[in-house]
Amino acid sequence: MEKENKIMLPENEAERQLQYIELVKERISALSESAGRPLTACVVTFGCQMNARDSEKLSGILEKVGYILTDSEEADFVIYNTCTVRDNANQRVYGRLGALNHLKKQNPHMKIALCGCMMQETEVIEKIKKSYSFVDLIFGTHNLFKFAELLYAMFENERMVIDIWKDTDKIVENLPVERKYKFKSGINIMFGCNNFCSYCIVPYVRGRERSRQPKEIIHEIDELVKDGVVEVMLLGQNVNSYGKNLEEPITFAELLREVEKIEGLKRIRFMTSHPKDLSDELIQVMKESKKICRHLHLPLQSGSNRILKAMNRRYTREQYLELVQKIKREIPDIAITTDIIVGFPGETLEDVEQTIDMVKQVEYDNAFTFIYSKRTGTPAASMENQVSQEVVKEGFDKLLKIVQDTAREQVKKLQGQVKDALVEEVNEHDSSLLTGRLSNNTIVHFPGEASLIGKIVPVKLLECKGFYYLGEMTDFKVEEESYI
Ligand code: 5AD
Ligand code: SF4
């Protein structure tokens, strides 16, 4: 006779998951007792800020069920939160899985899980089933909220548990989160992407755009601020289209106005902005704000109109330039950073020259340059004119040099000024130094006590070291700045 399911689960999803947390907790407690020691768990993050935030959610659940979190992969539970934006991220996961298998053979308690964007690809799942059968649990981007339930299933099953959803319209609120930093936090304001840039796999693995309710976002930030957070990073693939599909539509600029009102919150950042959707209203809100940081990440991808069209970016170089000029005119101290892809199908060295010209004109404070990676299922993958490695390398090296020279020039412009820095950590290489971040995202190292971590202090920028500064704390008040 089938065993009767004694577990009565509530209908509310968050409550259901909390119930699973209790069930897994019993399991971990029993395992820990038989092992005669606490069990440890390690979350490894690949990829972007979205994944970093998801990993904090995974960590929150792991801690609640009784694992001790560790950075070492010699743990009783290891989860890789994967990225598939470019193929090299996938290759790294496969490489590291081999090493994990080795560790698993030495630790009978060890469980291995995989989640994130890479798991939304059918070929990946097939490959793991075939060649990495020691993995215990696999799930994707749409059902991360079920992590506690999936852990329960993993302990109930001898065989690999796989749960991948194709898409979802669900947003589950109020699950536990374990933050990496006490004083700053990412906040998802929306999930997914509707843009379908022709090279990009994100819309396929993260699904359609879904915005969270503004009141849920504000509530979350309120709680974070009560818990010591002074800086938030609002996260979305395309924050500029936030709120368009809500029952009661609201713009991103309006959301920012609400976030600004939160008492105790000192700095607001956001990522990522699509140039085609960046409104005048947003520029105005940024200009008037005392809290929104003077930094805008505005991916260009290419400076050639022909390539931009083939990429389905839906703006021209002229429109992009006009936008940047408008932003700089309104907010002169803003730092602009970008993403650029080299080697998109059909791209010639002349196209790269056009990109280089844009870098020179915009004067980016930093640019992340990527070599085009062919992603199965995207329109660009089936374009015939894929670029040879030699041509890509030549264009890439040339671009990188210009990008670095421009960034150095930009960063140097602050030399001698006093700016407020949020102290983030003790310097990795020299423990007498603290590492802080300016509103415009520039890093500064300066002597100070660890007790200042999480505080905003005025720092004189003494010596530009290329992409960062050496400085010293000062009593001088930052009067000319209208923001922190
Ligand atoms: N190849 C190379 N870079 C890519 N990006 C997205 N898809 C690809 C791809 N197939 C880059 C874009 C994006 C950043 C997050 O990753 O520049 O802005
Ligand atoms: Fe990818 Fe374009 Fe969406 Fe960014 S906006 S996630 S590059 S499809």
Side-chain angles (χ1 to χ4, degrees):
M1 205 177 84
E2 223 178 84
K3 203 166 65 171
E4 198 183 307
N5 189 355
K6 330 183 271 224
I7 318 163
M8 289 289 290
L9 289 164
E11 287 206 355
N12 173 295
E13 190 57 58
E15 282 171 27
R16 258 173 59 91
Q17 295 308 319
L18 292 178
Q19 204 102 336
Y20 276 112
I21 287 178
E22 291 309 314
L23 292 169
V24 179
K25 201 167 164 181
E26 285 168 23
R27 194 50 97 95
I28 301 291
S29 160
L31 283 173
S32 156
E33 204 160 299
S34 77
R37 58 176 177 81
L39 297 194
T40 55
C42 172
V43 181
V44 181
T45 312
F46 297 81
C48 67
Q49 310 253 9
M50 286 275 195
N51 266 17
R53 182 62 180 159
D54 284 348
S55 288
E56 292 187 343
K57 296 177 186 171
L58 298 170
S59 301
I61 307 256
L62 288 169
E63 183 149 75
K64 277 269 183 303
V65 299
Y67 281 109
I68 307 286
L69 294 175
T70 164
D71 287 337
S72 161
E73 290 180 39
E74 276 182 54
D76 300 296
F77 181 83
V78 176
I79 181 161
Y80 284 175
N81 186 7
T82 63
C83 167
T84 188
V85 161
R86 288 168 293 275
D87 188 54
N88 49 10
N90 296 41
Q91 295 314 321
R92 284 218 319 269
V93 167
Y94 290 128
R96 287 174 69 156
L97 267 179
L100 269 195
N101 190 19
H102 207 68
L103 289 176
K104 190 172 184 179
K105 283 185 184 144
Q106 292 157 13
N107 177 2
H109 290 287
M110 188 172 184
K111 298 275 184 197
I112 297 174
L114 299 172
C115 67
C117 295
M118 202 175 144
M119 301 306 129
Q120 292 295 138
E121 293 178 274
T122 326
E123 318 81 74
V124 170
I125 301 298
E126 289 313 313
K127 183 164 171 165
I128 292 167
K129 280 205 278 198
K130 198 159 143 245
S131 311
Y132 302 88
S133 56
F134 55 87
V135 171
D136 301 285
L137 168 65
I138 306 178
F139 57 98
T141 54
H142 302 301
N143 52 350
L144 186 129
F145 69 87
K146 273 182 73 180
F147 183 41
E149 185 174 348
L150 292 166
L151 282 174
Y152 181 75
M154 177 187 81
F155 283 117
E156 289 287 295
N157 283 280
E158 288 292 308
R159 297 181 53 199
M160 191 189 280
V161 172
I162 306 179
D163 190 7
I164 313 285
W165 295 9
K166 282 231 156 330
D167 206 343
T168 187
D169 53 8
K170 211 168 179 154
I171 296 179
V172 180
E173 302 285 354
N174 300 322
L175 289 170
V177 181
E178 176 64 24
R179 291 199 312 279
K180 191 169 169 202
Y181 297 97
K182 184 102 191 81
F183 56 88
K184 68 170 184 177
S185 179
I187 318 276
N188 299 106
I189 62 164
M190 60 198 298
F191 303 92
C193 181
N194 284 356
N195 286 313
F196 291 94
C197 300
S198 63
Y199 51 81
C200 187
I201 200 163
V202 168
Y204 306 90
V205 295
R206 288 263 175 189
R208 293 296 66 71
E209 247 170 55
R210 283 139 8 244
S211 294
R212 283 176 72 194
Q213 289 293 343
K215 70 170 191 320
E216 298 285 1
I217 297 169
I218 301 294
H219 174 71
E220 185 177 352
I221 302 177
D222 260 333
E223 294 298 311
L224 287 167
V225 170
K226 279 188 204 139
D227 196 35
V229 164
V230 292
E231 178 179 299
V232 289
M233 165 82 89
L234 309 181
L235 297 169
Q237 301 296 346
N238 177 15
V239 291
N240 298 35
S241 68
Y242 168 79
K244 283 187 182 152
N245 301 325
L246 286 172
E247 241 166 65
E248 286 177 47
I250 156 172
T251 63
F252 179 52
E254 282 163 351
L255 176 74
L256 281 173
R257 279 210 187 94
E258 292 306 309
V259 177
E260 173 103 15
K261 288 181 197 154
I262 298 176
E263 229 170 281
L265 179 68
K266 305 232 165 97
R267 282 180 165 184
I268 304 167
R269 299 183 184 277
F270 53 84
M271 230 183 187
T272 289
S273 290
H274 195 304
K276 78 174 166 59
D277 296 318
L278 199 145
S279 66
D280 288 352
E281 187 195 10
L282 175 64
I283 299 174
Q284 216 45 41
V285 169
M286 287 183 80
K287 182 179 171 175
E288 287 161 16
S289 170
K290 301 229 180 321
K291 297 185 178 175
I292 301 173
C293 288
R294 272 21 193 174
H295 173 217
L296 187 64
H297 187 66
L298 196 62
L300 169 70
Q301 312 299 3
S302 167
S304 151
N305 282 340
R306 198 173 60 83
I307 298 298
L308 282 172
K309 190 153 203 302
M311 286 177 161
N312 192 29
R313 290 291 289 176
R314 287 174 279 171
Y315 53 81
T316 60
R317 56 183 276 128
E318 291 78 16
Q319 285 165 332
Y320 185 100
L321 266 180
E322 202 178 304
L323 178 64
V324 166
Q325 278 154 8
K326 191 157 53 179
I327 295 166
K328 287 192 172 182
R329 200 165 52 232
E330 296 296 323
I331 315 165
D333 51 356
I334 197 145
I336 300 183
T337 57
T338 200
D339 292 340
I340 296 171
I341 299 175
V342 177
F344 183 85
E347 189 180 59
T348 63
L349 287 171
E350 258 164 53
D351 293 310
V352 180
E353 284 302 332
Q354 299 261 304
T355 303
I356 289 175
D357 180 63
M358 286 292 276
V359 172
K360 288 181 179 161
Q361 289 200 55
V362 176
E363 298 185 307
Y364 289 110
D365 290 77
N366 198 2
F368 299 96
T369 47
F370 304 108
I371 289 180
Y372 167 74
S373 172
K374 187 170 168 177
R375 308 313 291 130
T376 313
T378 61
S382 49
M383 292 181 185
E384 275 168 10
N385 40 2
Q386 304 282 325
V387 185
S388 78
Q389 277 193 13
E390 299 78 66
V391 175
V392 173
K393 190 168 179 336
E394 190 179 335
F396 185 83
D397 290 349
K398 201 163 171 199
L399 173 71
L400 189 64
K401 181 162 182 326
I402 307 284
V403 159
Q404 289 179 341
D405 291 348
T406 315
R408 259 190 227 103
E409 284 303 308
Q410 282 302 109
V411 175
K412 217 160 71 186
K413 287 183 178 166
L414 297 180
Q415 178 99 24
Q417 295 191 28
V418 175
K419 292 275 173 197
D420 278 343
L422 172 59
V423 183
E424 297 200 333
E425 56 203 359
V426 171
N427 186 291
E428 266 180 29
H429 308 290
D430 179 349
S431 61
S432 71
L433 296 178
L434 296 173
T435 298
R437 194 180 291 271
L438 308 186
S439 171
N440 80 352
N441 218 31
T442 301
I443 294 290
V444 57
H445 306 290
F446 55 96
E449 299 289 326
S451 58
L452 288 171
I453 291 174
K455 302 260 180 330
I456 295 177
V457 296
V459 178
K460 181 154 193 179
L461 306 172
L462 296 175
E463 192 185 347
C464 182
K465 289 282 198 183
F467 303 110
Y468 64 90
Y469 272 96
L470 292 181
E472 65 180 13
M473 262 191 296
T474 126
D475 294 334
F476 183 82
K477 275 198 91 173
V478 189
E479 305 228 332
E480 77 276 19
E481 280 186 334
S482 59
Y483 57 91
I484 302 183

